[in-house]
Amino acid sequence: MLTYIPPEKRPESKPTEKPWVLLLLAFVWLWPGIIDHDLWKPHEFELHAAVQSVLYQGQFWAPVVAGQPYVEQPPLYVWVGSLFQSVFSPWLLSEFTAIRLTTVLFMAIGLACAGGAGRHLLGRRHGRSVVLILIGCVGLLLAGHRMDTWAITFAGFALSLYAMTRANDHTALAGFGLALGWVLVFLSSSLSELLLVMLIAISMLVFARWRSRRYMVILAMAAMMAIPMITIWPYALYQSHPEVFQLWWERYAFGGFGGWKYNFLAHEFGYYATVALWYVFPAWPLAVWTFMNRSKVSHRVWQVCGIWLLVGVLWLALMRETYTENALILLLPLAILGAAQLDSLRRGAVAFLNWFGVMLFGMLAIFLWLGFFAMNFGWPTKLAERAAYFSPYYQPDFDYFPMIIAFLFTVLWIWAVTRKHMRGRQAVTNWAAGMTLSWSLLMTLFLPWIDAAKSYRPVVEQFQAALHPNTAARLVSGQDCLYIDAQENRIAWLAWEAYSDVKITMDEQQNCQYRLVVLSQTQQNNLKQWEVVWRGHRPREDYEHFVLLQKQQFEALF
């Protein structure tokens, strides 16, 4: 006998997605760009040098980079990177890769906490959607695959948000998580970001449901645990290196706002509004859809994400300096809001998102495969010419292992995007898979080509090859030295220290026979009357040309 069951009483359909697929996708997303490439700008040279300072000079509280204390960023990344290098290098990984494991560790923590926050705010299975949206955002891709302290800051943001979502059901976990999140944020960024997450947590008290004894206890616990841990590094720095502490306090204590001697409110308004259009895509269009259906989302979600966005936008609007990574503060709340109504996306929107992603990432994958064949086999000819133009130091590198990995990624992506019965969740999965595919192809097929263009190693190797054998032997043995002004030519000092075997000094009193200077292409016109031993630069570089001068020419020139 057939029995009618109203729609609202019918059991939910069994979910078709599999958690292990998300774990595999996140694992694949984490690693490309981490393994086996040289140091790249903007921060990898400084962080690598700071790690060596900790390991070999014992400068734990105040690492030294190019002869100067490195306090632009707090030292947590340097500490963890030092641990990883000492454990895994050189027997398993290169020192560069070992240090970058710090990024992998904290990005994994950040994604896990973001997924947990989504689950506790939105319900079961929504945490996966939050992670997929984050993986699909360009901003997190750029910040999460290099030697950079922003990976730890993101983890601190996510942990703080996750702790706030557990405030109603687990007081101890929420208090400890909030404290640890604050500590991670401060020890990877500055007092500015610390005050930001603290203000977000305190601002929740404007809502009646958050003005509870439990939440008051959580805030008190977090403050009592975090403040002592936060003050350890500044106090130790003040006791051991008071002049370095003074430098940090005056210039870098508040990050993008500067220090006490700076004008805090001197921001280029509108910068982050433009950045957010691509940096947090596709999180923001999905969040707009949720806003259009806001009556279906609980007040708790709007309270947490609304306060986070309001305080974050105000913080960005008032900031003195403009860094795209600061927009990371917008990613978490927008990803959660984007996941809230993901399953209610209209069929047309789902089809468009999936079609746009398939076309965009499919064409990009085809271009990357063609580019790989062009730069290694000379076909297509025009593409090979452009590849040689932008990276002239590249030598064809036909390695089977990266090709196999890239081929497997391509096949898996084709399988993912050809599934039927598309829904909002699957469309976002396909977008995240396309982003992962494109990045993976770039970091497998194109990594040697990119390294030849971005790395300073080819330039340093040209420098050493240009030296007379006797001169090279004297510089390597220490019988003679190469002087580099580390204050004016910091990148030259760091590059030659990382890749060269010659003895380098920043002490002008050592009377070195050779000196390396960095000049722009225009400034080199003034050197025509002088005999130059060697000059070199990275491909397509107009403002950073390295010139090697002998002592007598240098004295006459300057």
Side-chain angles (χ1 to χ4, degrees):
M1 180 177 179
L2 298 177
T3 304
Y4 174 75
I5 302 175
E8 63 272 9
K9 294 184 179 180
R10 294 173 187 173
E12 293 184 4
S13 59
K14 186 177 180 180
T16 57
E17 65 266 23
K18 299 175 178 60
W20 66 267
V21 175
L22 171 63
L23 292 175
L24 179 61
L25 180 61
F27 180 82
V28 171
W29 181 89
L30 283 170
W31 288 100
I34 298 295
I35 301 174
D36 290 338
H37 70 76
D38 287 335
L39 301 173
W40 294 348
K41 287 183 176 181
H43 301 301
E44 292 201 336
F45 278 101
E46 287 82 359
L47 288 172
H48 171 260
V51 168
Q52 310 316 305
S53 174
V54 170
L55 288 177
Y56 301 112
Q57 301 176 22
Q59 300 288 348
F60 188 79
W61 301 114
V64 175
V65 173
Q68 300 295 318
Y70 184 71
V71 288
E72 288 91 335
Q73 298 167 317
L76 181 57
Y77 195 103
V78 175
W79 294 342
V80 180
S82 302
L83 175 64
F84 281 143
Q85 180 177 330
S86 61
V87 172
F88 295 109
S89 178
W91 68 276
L92 182 62
L93 301 170
S94 68
E95 61 184 48
F96 302 159
T97 302
I99 297 172
R100 290 193 193 101
L101 291 181
T102 308
T103 299
V104 176
L105 171 65
F106 285 100
M107 288 305 301
I109 293 173
L111 291 175
C113 291
R119 177 185 176 91
H120 284 88
L121 277 177
L122 305 174
R124 183 174 176 270
R125 295 165 56 199
H126 285 85
R128 307 173 195 174
S129 300
V130 173
V131 175
L132 288 170
I133 293 173
L134 289 173
I135 288 176
C137 288
V138 179
L140 196 63
L141 182 74
L142 298 177
H145 292 91
R146 61 192 183 198
M147 202 183 295
D148 201 315
T149 59
W150 278 107
I152 305 181
T153 305
F154 171 74
F157 287 160
L159 183 55
S160 300
L161 178 60
Y162 175 68
M164 291 170 60
T165 64
R166 300 303 303 269
N168 290 335
D169 60 356
H170 206 305
T171 303
L173 177 62
F176 177 76
L178 197 58
L180 184 57
W182 292 352
V183 173
L184 291 181
V185 168
F186 171 69
L187 287 179
S188 61
S189 51
S190 70
L191 287 171
S192 169
E193 286 78 5
L194 172 63
L195 295 175
L196 170 68
V197 291
M198 284 184 168
L199 181 59
I200 290 173
I202 296 172
S203 297
M204 297 306 301
L205 296 174
V206 302
F207 302 109
R209 66 178 300 169
W210 290 84
R211 289 195 296 270
S212 64
R213 181 181 177 184
R214 178 191 292 268
Y215 191 64
M216 296 287 190
V217 170
I218 289 172
L219 291 179
M221 287 177 56
M224 287 188 294
M225 288 186 289
I227 291 175
M229 290 189 286
I230 287 170
T231 56
I232 289 176
W233 174 66
Y235 180 75
L237 184 65
Y238 177 76
Q239 291 294 320
S240 59
H241 304 82
E243 69 288 349
V244 178
F245 173 84
Q246 189 69 21
L247 173 67
W248 170 76
W249 186 250
E250 292 180 354
R251 296 188 181 181
Y252 306 109
F254 286 89
F257 291 92
W260 290 107
K261 288 188 174 181
Y262 285 90
N263 177 11
F264 278 31
L265 308 180
H267 176 56
E268 179 187 345
F269 291 99
Y271 172 81
Y272 289 106
T274 304
V275 167
L277 292 177
W278 61 267
Y279 198 85
V280 295
F281 186 89
W284 70 263
L286 297 174
V288 170
W289 170 254
T290 298
F291 180 78
M292 295 171 62
N293 296 269
R294 54 189 175 276
S295 60
K296 300 178 181 179
V297 181
S298 70
H299 293 295
R300 184 165 174 256
V301 175
W302 284 113
Q303 289 168 358
V304 173
C305 295
I307 285 292
W308 197 285
L309 282 173
L310 180 62
V311 177
V313 169
L314 180 63
W315 177 71
L316 292 176
L318 297 179
M319 185 168 294
R320 184 179 64 89
E321 297 178 353
T322 52
Y323 298 112
T324 55
E325 291 83 359
N326 288 322
L328 277 177
I329 192 64
L330 305 177
L331 265 180
L332 290 168
L334 289 176
I336 290 175
L337 290 176
Q341 288 296 300
L342 193 58
D343 290 333
S344 69
L345 273 175
R346 294 178 179 175
R347 187 181 299 272
V350 172
F352 174 77
L353 178 62
N354 187 62
W355 172 85
F356 181 68
V358 170
M359 293 298 295
L360 174 64
F361 297 118
M363 294 178 63
L364 185 57
I366 292 173
F367 174 78
L368 291 175
W369 274 107
L370 285 176
F372 172 76
F373 283 104
M375 65 189 184
N376 286 287
F377 302 105
W379 181 89
T381 307
K382 292 295 184 182
L383 199 56
E385 293 175 356
R386 299 310 295 171
Y389 173 78
F390 285 106
S391 186
Y393 300 152
Y394 172 74
Q395 298 295 326
D397 184 6
F398 192 77
D399 192 345
Y400 285 100
F401 183 73
M403 282 192 62
I404 294 173
I405 297 298
F407 177 77
L408 290 176
F409 287 165
T410 306
V411 171
L412 288 174
W413 177 77
I414 294 174
W415 167 78
V417 300
T418 53
R419 293 174 298 168
K420 298 180 180 179
H421 310 296
M422 289 300 301
R423 296 182 300 172
R425 197 183 303 260
Q426 291 168 323
V428 170
T429 302
N430 289 351
W431 181 274
M435 184 70 73
T436 304
L437 170 70
S438 302
W439 181 250
S440 300
L441 293 181
L442 192 65
M443 291 294 107
T444 51
L445 301 179
F446 271 70
L447 185 59
W449 182 86
I450 297 174
D451 229 10
K454 289 179 64 66
S455 175
Y456 287 86
R457 187 188 297 271
V459 180
V460 177
E461 290 176 347
Q462 292 175 15
F463 156 81
Q464 296 199 158
L467 294 175
H468 189 277
N470 292 336
T471 301
R474 290 176 58 84
L475 288 173
V476 171
S477 64
Q479 294 177 318
D480 204 344
C481 57
L482 174 67
Y483 173 77
I484 303 177
D485 189 338
Q487 294 187 11
E488 294 186 5
N489 305 320
R490 188 175 187 179
I491 191 63
W493 169 268
L494 294 173
W496 261 254
E497 184 182 47
Y499 302 130
S500 176
D501 295 329
V502 304
K503 181 184 176 182
I504 308 170
T505 181
M506 63 184 72
D507 183 7
E508 195 169 7
Q509 303 301 320
Q510 288 196 21
N511 199 25
C512 297
Q513 293 295 315
Y514 295 92
R515 178 162 186 162
L516 188 74
V517 297
V518 181
L519 303 173
S520 69
Q521 196 170 19
T522 303
Q523 289 173 314
Q524 289 193 61
N525 294 331
N526 299 326
L527 300 178
K528 289 182 178 180
Q529 55 183 317
W530 309 101
E531 180 184 356
V532 177
V533 178
W534 169 87
R535 70 179 71 199
H537 59 90
R538 293 192 303 171
R540 318 276 74 83
E541 180 66 73
D542 294 329
Y543 301 100
E544 195 178 70
H545 287 233
F546 302 100
V547 181
L548 179 64
L549 302 172
Q550 287 184 327
K551 180 180 178 181
Q552 64 271 20
Q553 286 138 355
F554 178 84
E555 288 177 345
L557 176 62
F558 293 92

